[in-house]
Amino acid sequence: MHELSICRSLLQQVESIAVERNAQCVTRIVLGIGPLSGVETVLLKNAYTTACAGTVAESAELIIKHLPVRVKCSRCGSESDALPNKLVCKQCGEWRTVLISGDELMLMSVELEKSIDPVAMH
Amino acid sequence: MCDTCGCNITHGNESLIRPDGKLAKTESGKEAVTLLHSLLQENDHAAQHNRDHFDQHQVLAINLMSSPGAGKTALLEATIQQLDDSLKIAVIEGDLETENDAERIRKLGVKAIQITTGSACHLDAHMIHQALHHLDLSAFDIVFIENVGNLVCPASFDLGQHHNVVLLSVPEGDDKPAKYPVMFRAADLVLISKSDLLPVLDDFKVDTAKKYLRDIASNSTVIEISSKDKSGMPSWLDWINQQIEKRKAYLKTFRKVGSPNLMHGHHHIHNKASVK
């Protein structure tokens, strides 16, 4: 269950962005996660529900973009979809491939609700 | 991996992860901020800091990972007994509870620091940083980090090690790389441990384990090893010595040794894990 540690790390980042940008609250968080990141998105969502309580992101919508596993072949150069435990080239069967998508664990964007600027009111 | 922020944007996933029009649209009074940060950036930053510490003292750091009971501590005991006396070893032990493993190492006259993680299923870079406060790196050549026995979570956390060594013990079965691709993809070296059991547990085929490793595009070296009958130990010790030499050569080329630039300000995050 390292998803809870990852959630805490996520919330720390989100909170510091909210403070930096003088936001009242966070309304949306978008993550990009690939199957080879080692994170289970269902567990992450469950952990998030607990971890976000009392934070600036308490009412934020958590959107997880599932990114596909894709590899580039070192022999024939073609790019193909792959399975997490079958990363061989679909075109020529070569096992020496480079992962080009699928291990992301990324905070892609946040949407903030801005505080009313007290200076601007005057 | 993207060089600027450490996130893993490649041309293969860029079009999928750059924010699309729909998500970029915001209502009035709201601001959308594109970040593309790694969710583990705090950990990764601390890991790099640890790696800088190791490099400054020319210490090779090896992270040992496996399921519980695959023989990590037994391997360390055998390694300590067989490795060249001129190499000074320290061990950082990670377990949920008890100081048993550190005590086994200390009995051999080797410095061991036990991290008890409580309920955490993995070590992270901050825990290693804390442990390094208890270790004078100038007195050592190698630091082995024995991670918490777990084939899932430890794979996601960079500790600042130079190499990941994953043990796959014969009783576990030869298909573990297919079942735990994230862990085995992280391995620089796979040790098929308890190899003395191969004649008894003959449904474990070393070639099958290797095939599953190729399936996940792993080019890691594979060594069959037994801490009991010591077979495979020379290959393992050779591998360690080669990595020490390679690291020294690398540091010499990039003039990293003793560079004051390496040491940036300490940024301490102390968590619940206890260090003894």
Side-chain angles (χ1 to χ4, degrees), chain B:
Chain B
M1 184 174 282
C2 152
D3 292 333
T4 47
C5 68
C7 69
N8 36 9
I9 295 176
T10 68
H11 77 277
N13 62 16
E14 188 172 8
S15 62
L16 299 159
I17 58 186
R18 294 282 180 204
D20 56 34
K22 190 178 149 205
L23 289 174
K25 270 184 205 159
T26 50
E27 296 164 33
S28 62
K30 290 185 180 176
E31 181 190 10
V33 188
T34 303
L35 297 155
L36 307 176
H37 291 169
S38 163
L39 282 186
L40 288 169
Q41 70 174 8
E42 192 68 49
N43 182 76
D44 295 347
H45 177 80
Q48 189 51 50
H49 183 69
N50 293 342
R51 197 153 20 240
D52 289 347
H53 273 289
F54 290 126
D55 284 345
Q56 203 196 22
H57 297 283
Q58 284 193 284
V59 172
L60 184 76
I62 294 177
N63 179 25
L64 290 176
M65 297 185 283
S66 78
S67 52
K72 294 183 295 300
T73 316
L75 174 76
L76 284 175
E77 289 171 318
T79 307
I80 289 163
Q81 283 162 344
Q82 304 236 332
L83 205 59
D84 192 334
D85 284 344
S86 63
L87 290 173
K88 297 283 173 281
I89 303 173
V91 176
I92 298 172
E93 289 282 352
D95 277 299
L96 271 68
E97 295 293 347
T98 85
E99 202 153 325
N100 295 355
D101 286 356
E103 280 164 12
R104 280 171 66 180
I105 300 298
R106 286 174 196 144
K107 273 185 187 161
L108 301 170
V110 165
K111 172 88 175 174
I113 292 168
Q114 180 76 52
I115 301 175
T116 45
T117 60
S119 59
C121 47
H122 58 273
L123 292 177
D124 66 31
H126 301 298
M127 295 178 197
I128 298 301
H129 179 86
Q130 275 178 272
L132 292 182
H133 280 293
H134 300 259
L135 210 55
D136 173 14
L137 284 179
S138 62
F140 300 102
D141 300 297
I142 309 176
V143 170
F144 287 105
I145 302 164
E146 184 182 333
N147 216 311
V148 177
N150 178 344
L151 279 180
V152 184
C153 313
S156 296
F157 294 83
D158 184 4
L159 306 178
Q161 76 281 356
H162 299 109
H163 298 286
N164 283 325
V165 174
V166 178
L167 279 74
L168 165 57
S169 69
V170 168
E172 291 174 67
D174 52 21
D175 60 350
K176 282 288 179 290
K179 287 179 175 166
Y180 299 91
V182 178
M183 172 58 76
F184 283 92
R185 255 173 51 77
D188 300 303
L189 173 69
V190 174
L191 295 175
I192 297 183
S193 59
K194 306 189 187 181
S195 66
D196 52 295
L197 293 175
L198 279 169
V200 192
L201 302 172
D202 58 2
D203 52 342
F204 187 108
K205 305 283 184 228
V206 174
D207 284 345
T208 307
K210 285 182 179 171
K211 183 203 163 287
Y212 283 127
L213 284 169
R214 298 301 169 251
D215 280 351
I216 55 168
S218 161
N219 61 357
S220 66
T221 309
V222 178
I223 298 173
E224 294 164 45
I225 196 163
S226 166
S227 305
K228 204 171 177 184
D229 69 17
K230 309 289 185 275
S231 61
M233 284 302 290
S235 308
W236 159 237
L237 301 179
D238 281 351
W239 184 87
I240 295 172
N241 282 312
Q242 281 167 19
Q243 306 318 313
I244 290 174
E245 291 312 313
K246 278 186 195 167
R247 195 72 205 160
K248 280 185 181 163
Y250 170 85
L251 292 173
K252 205 175 165 187
T253 310
F254 293 95
R255 291 179 191 161
K256 277 192 154 184
V257 182
S259 160
N261 295 336
L262 277 177
M263 305 307 295
H264 46 266
H266 272 62
H267 176 59
H268 289 208
I269 295 180
H270 291 157
N271 48 28
K272 281 179 189 163
S274 86
V275 178
K276 284 174 189 169

Side-chain angles (χ1 to χ4, degrees), chain A residues 9-11 13-14 17 28-32 62 105-110, chain B residues 7 33-41:
Chain A
S9 167
L10 161 68
L11 287 163
Q13 285 189 46
V14 169
I17 293 156
R28 180 187 277 162
I29 299 173
V30 184
L31 307 180
L62 181 70
L105 186 54
M106 203 185 293
L107 172 56
M108 290 162 62
S109 65
V110 292
Chain B
C7 69
V33 188
T34 303
L35 297 155
L36 307 176
H37 291 169
S38 163
L39 282 186
L40 288 169
Q41 70 174 8

Side-chain angles (χ1 to χ4, degrees), chain A residues 83-121:
Chain A
L83 294 170
N85 60 5
K86 193 87 179 169
L87 302 175
V88 297
C89 174
K90 269 199 179 150
Q91 296 299 317
C92 71
E94 172 64 41
W95 65 268
R96 289 177 191 84
T97 60
V98 177
L99 193 76
I100 53 171
S101 169
D103 63 348
E104 303 82 356
L105 186 54
M106 203 185 293
L107 172 56
M108 290 162 62
S109 65
V110 292
E111 188 185 81
L112 309 169
E113 197 156 280
K114 301 293 277 187
S115 306
I116 298 159
D117 187 346
V119 181
M121 285 178 76

